[in-house]
């Protein structure tokens, strides 16, 4: 039995559809029940849906053998897991954005609001820019509007929210996509089962 | 004899079993004090992977540290003139717990061999690592790798230290897709990149892993590494240990310290490695020691905690219930008899709510037995 941590939401649904297509369907997942864990004994798989940023925690701590998670989460939290496949779906970009009339003043520390503290720190370190981090947990776009920060570092999918709020992308520095990760110990004991899933996934995705 | 050890907790029992295993192979117990001069760790902070250390001032104002590691202390005390030293330890170390951002006391058991390490010594250490794991889980797996193979492969790719570190991380994370991206953006030669990707693919058997490694060895360093790992594997196979071994050359370690065989042990029910170790000649030369080789491993009891405490020590003693009316001589006679028999007992005036065992009730000078 392989346990899979899926991110709640659009990406999770999309990934489950692929699982179902390649032979890991689970009837319980199609029902509208309030169940938290969905198991298909015949296909040897069980799924649970968790907050996207928690997927890597479930996998690293062995509660799930494998999981699907965005590269942003992997870079931010650096969990000790195997990253076996780039699914090439759930694509977006990690960007620096600011008010559309923003002009950088290199003499003062740049105030950066973000959920992704480590990613932001390492990006600005790589370009030798002195910054102050303001850690926020949501509605990041509000920070430059209220002058809480000069810029934000966040994920941009379509850019619509930015535009509607008179914000603009200053720099795209990291492409993001969904990755299939595995717990290191689970991989030792369930190598074949996990590799079969990886192979079937990459075949399906390359169609 | 074994019945009399029922009171031991599993971690205590495991420590004793491991001590017996190591003592029986000629290893001597290494004893050390709980603290060391802070300077010593500051000089070797790379080896500790940036671990925070608990420091305090001694009576002369000198900055001291509670030990975060045992290997460094063993290497420091290595006596060059003493020839080969085979040491084991059961010690507590003090490290930062990343999860809760607090210091933790961690119990560690391990062994080190310092001095000339030949093929036999290497095999003995690996066998002891496997046997140690088997004391915990009969289906345990020991990953075996060789730093020489990945380092040799990286020699074919780049000299850039930062890029090598990035490649190390990707190879040990089995991240083939990002290696391709990194190779493209840095114009790395594709042949060694493909070898790196091939390393990450799990093989159906150890023989296949070795055959693949032989076929893809691109330079003398890689050839030397695969030759060593292959001869070790043949010996372990002859001893019927192959099902507990996984040859996985994508496993890497810190190249500043490790230079040969690398080991990581896994057991069911624990999400991370519970044993790790390898050959670390580089640490010796960094610390200015004359002895040429060093190899060892440590078992992390903090990772095993939950697993070992699933089964608790025999905690259902016989209860003796007494009150003010009980004859004290009858009570003491009974406890002495039980002690003589080796039965565990607890004399109480009221029963705990979870009591499930036999009870002796002392009423006056008579004793009544009752099963719960």
């Amino acid at each position: 039995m392989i346990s899979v941590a899926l991110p709640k939401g659009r990406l999770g649904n999309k990934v489950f559809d692929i699982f179902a297509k390649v032979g890991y369907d689970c009837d319980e997942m199609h029902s509208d029940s309030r169940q938290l864990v969905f198991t298909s004994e015949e296909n040897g798989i069980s799924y649970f849906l968790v907050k996207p940023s928690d997927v890597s925690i479930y996998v690293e701590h062995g509660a799930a053998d494998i999981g699907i998670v965005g590269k942003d989460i992997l870079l931010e939290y650096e969990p000790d897991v195997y990253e076996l496949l780039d699914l090439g779906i759930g694509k977006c970009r990690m960007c620096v954005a600011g008010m559309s009339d923003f002009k950088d003043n290199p003499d003062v520390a740049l105030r950066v609001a973000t959920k992704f503290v480590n990613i932001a720190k390492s990006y600005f370190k790589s370009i030798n820019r002195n910054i102050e981090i303001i850690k926020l947990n949501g509605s990041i776009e509000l920070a430059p509007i209220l002058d809480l920060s000069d810029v934000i570092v966040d994920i941009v999918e379509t850019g619509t929210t930015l535009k509607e709020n008179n914000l603009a992308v200053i720099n795209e520095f990291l492409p993001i996509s969904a990755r299939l990760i595995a717990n290191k110990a689970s991989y030792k004991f369930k190598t074949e089962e996990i590799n079969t899933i990886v192979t079937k996934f990459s075949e399906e995705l390359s169609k | 004899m074994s019945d009399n050890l029922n009171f031991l907790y599993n971690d205590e029992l495991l420590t004793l079993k491991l001590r017996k295993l190591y003592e029986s192979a000629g290893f001597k117990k290494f004893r050390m004090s709980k603290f060391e001069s802070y300077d010593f760790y500051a000089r070797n902070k790379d080896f500790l992977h940036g671990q925070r250390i608990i420091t305090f001032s001694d009576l002369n104002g000198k900055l001291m540290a509670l030990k975060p590691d045992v290997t460094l202390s063993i290497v420091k005390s290595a006596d060059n003139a003493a020839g080969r030293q085979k040491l084991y330890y059961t010690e507590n170390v003090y490290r930062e717990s990343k999860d809760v951002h607090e210091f933790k006391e961690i119990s560690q058991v391990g062994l080190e061999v310092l001095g000339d390490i030949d093929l036999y010594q290497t095999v003995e250490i690996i066998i002891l690592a496997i046997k140690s794991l088997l004391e915990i889980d009969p289906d345990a797996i020991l990953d075996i790798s060789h730093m020489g193979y990945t380092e040799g492969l990286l020699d074919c790719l780049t000299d850039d230290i930062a890029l090598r570190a990035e490649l190390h991380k990707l190879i040990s994370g089995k991240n083939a897709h990002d290696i391709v991206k990194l190779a493209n953006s840095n114009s790395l030669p594709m042949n060694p990149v493909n070898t790196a990707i091939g390393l990450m693919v799990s093989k159906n058997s150890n023989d296949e892993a070795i055959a693949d490694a032989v076929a893809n060895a691109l330079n003398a360093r890689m050839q030397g590494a695969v030759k060593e790992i292959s001869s070790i594997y043949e010996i372990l196979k002859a001893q019927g240990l192959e099902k507990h071994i996984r040859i996985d050359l994508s496993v890497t370690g810190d190249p500043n310290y490790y230079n040969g065989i690398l080991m990581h042990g896994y057991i069911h029910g624990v999400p991370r490695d519970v044993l790790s170790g390898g050959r670390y000649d580089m640490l010796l030369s960094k610390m200015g020691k004359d002895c040429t080789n060093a190899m060892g491993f440590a078992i992390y009891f903090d990772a095993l905690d939950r697993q070992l405490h699933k089964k608790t020590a025999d905690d259902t003693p016989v209860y003796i219930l007494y009150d003010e009316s009980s004859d004290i001589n009858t009570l003491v006679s009974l406890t002495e008899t039980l002690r003589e028999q080796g039965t565990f007992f607890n004399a109480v005036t009221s029963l705990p709510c979870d009591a499930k065992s036999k009870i002796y009730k002392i009423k006056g000078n008579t004793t009544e037995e009752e099963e719960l």
Side-chain angles (χ1 to χ4, degrees), chain B residues 336-369:
Chain B
E336 286 312 296
T337 311
L338 292 172
R339 204 190 317 274
E340 197 69 19
Q341 290 168 355
T343 305
F344 285 51
F345 62 86
N346 192 0
V348 293
T349 48
S350 62
L351 279 178
C353 50
D354 59 350
K356 281 180 191 138
S357 58
K358 189 191 251 186
I359 305 172
Y360 291 98
K361 287 183 181 167
I362 314 279
K363 290 186 175 162
N365 56 7
T366 57
T367 307
E368 290 173 14
E369 280 182 42

Side-chain angles (χ1 to χ4, degrees), chain B residues 136-186:
Chain B
I136 315 165
D137 177 6
D139 298 318
I141 285 178
L142 186 74
D143 255 6
I144 302 181
S145 177
H146 199 296
M147 278 303 288
Y149 201 82
T150 33
E151 283 301 293
L153 180 59
L154 294 184
D155 289 346
C156 304
L157 283 163
T158 177
D159 293 330
D160 183 325
I161 294 172
L163 194 54
R164 283 176 83 106
E166 186 66 19
L167 285 162
H168 255 292
K169 212 164 147 187
L170 294 174
I171 292 173
S172 57
K174 296 193 185 292
N175 185 340
H177 41 275
D178 284 340
I179 280 212
V180 175
K181 284 179 202 157
L182 191 69
N184 288 339
S185 60
N186 289 281

Side-chain angles (χ1 to χ4, degrees), chain A residues 71 83 86 179 187-188, chain B residues 143 173-174 177-178 202 246:
Chain A
K71 183 69 179 175
E83 189 183 320
D86 180 355
R179 311 292 164 106
Y187 190 74
K188 307 292 162 196
Chain B
D143 255 6
K174 296 193 185 292
H177 41 275
D178 284 340
S202 292
R246 188 75 48 85

Side-chain angles (χ1 to χ4, degrees), chain B residues 49 79 167 236 249 285 305:
Chain B
H49 300 293
D79 182 358
L167 285 162
L236 297 173
L249 289 163
S285 52
D305 250 5

Side-chain angles (χ1 to χ4, degrees), chain B residues 292-338:
Chain B
T292 43
N293 314 131
M295 185 169 170
F297 62 81
I299 297 169
Y300 307 113
F301 272 54
D302 59 325
L304 285 172
D305 250 5
R306 212 155 276 283
Q307 199 68 5
L308 290 175
H309 288 107
K310 263 185 187 163
K311 289 183 286 171
T312 54
D314 190 355
D315 55 358
T316 52
V318 166
Y319 284 101
I320 305 168
L321 193 61
Y322 71 94
D323 56 26
E324 287 168 357
S325 71
S326 306
D327 175 46
I328 183 84
N329 285 318
T330 312
L331 172 62
V332 174
S333 298
L334 176 62
T335 59
E336 286 312 296
T337 311
L338 292 172

